[in-house]
Amino acid sequence: KNGNFTHGIERLLSLCDKSREHISRSMKKYTGQTLSEFVNDLRLKFIANMLKNSNHDIADIVYESGFGNISWASELFRKKYGLPPLKFRRSHT
């Protein structure tokens, strides 16, 4: 279901019939990412898409993505996309 990533790792684990350790090992093996990195990457992609395709307030988008901290989300976003969210939005409108 779309949006499961917004509920974080616990939601991801609840959808699987495997232990946290098994899922963690498999995720790292097949994606090269930890569970946190995988979920954060989905959230960052969601934020980027919303910034390009909506006029919603950036804080609302960040919270809707599942991040609970705007500063942390902005830092991760800048690392991934090379721009903070506001500049990213301006460069894609």
Side-chain angles (χ1 to χ4, degrees):
K1 178 182 173 194
N2 288 338
N4 281 327
F5 65 90
T6 64
H7 300 288
I9 293 170
E10 295 309 315
R11 176 65 176 181
L12 175 66
L13 294 173
S14 75
L15 297 172
C16 304
D17 190 29
K18 303 290 181 190
S19 71
R20 181 184 197 99
E21 293 76 20
H22 177 81
I23 299 300
S24 294
R25 280 191 307 273
S26 296
M27 184 68 65
K28 187 70 172 178
K29 179 179 177 181
Y30 294 109
T31 69
Q33 296 178 307
T34 66
L35 284 170
S36 293
E37 290 167 339
F38 180 77
V39 170
N40 285 343
D41 192 53
L42 291 174
R43 290 173 172 172
L44 294 170
K45 288 176 183 175
F46 172 84
I47 292 170
N49 183 56
M50 291 294 289
L51 291 172
K52 288 183 205 177
N53 298 302
S54 80
N55 292 321
H56 293 104
D57 182 72
I58 293 173
D60 292 339
I61 293 171
V62 168
Y63 290 128
E64 188 178 345
S65 76
F67 280 110
N69 183 302
I70 294 173
S71 297
W72 176 241
S74 294
E75 182 178 332
L76 293 177
F77 190 91
R78 185 185 44 75
K79 285 180 183 177
K80 180 173 178 69
Y81 293 102
L83 296 169
L86 182 59
K87 287 186 179 180
F88 180 89
R89 172 176 265 171
R90 288 179 180 157
S91 71
H92 287 86
T93 55

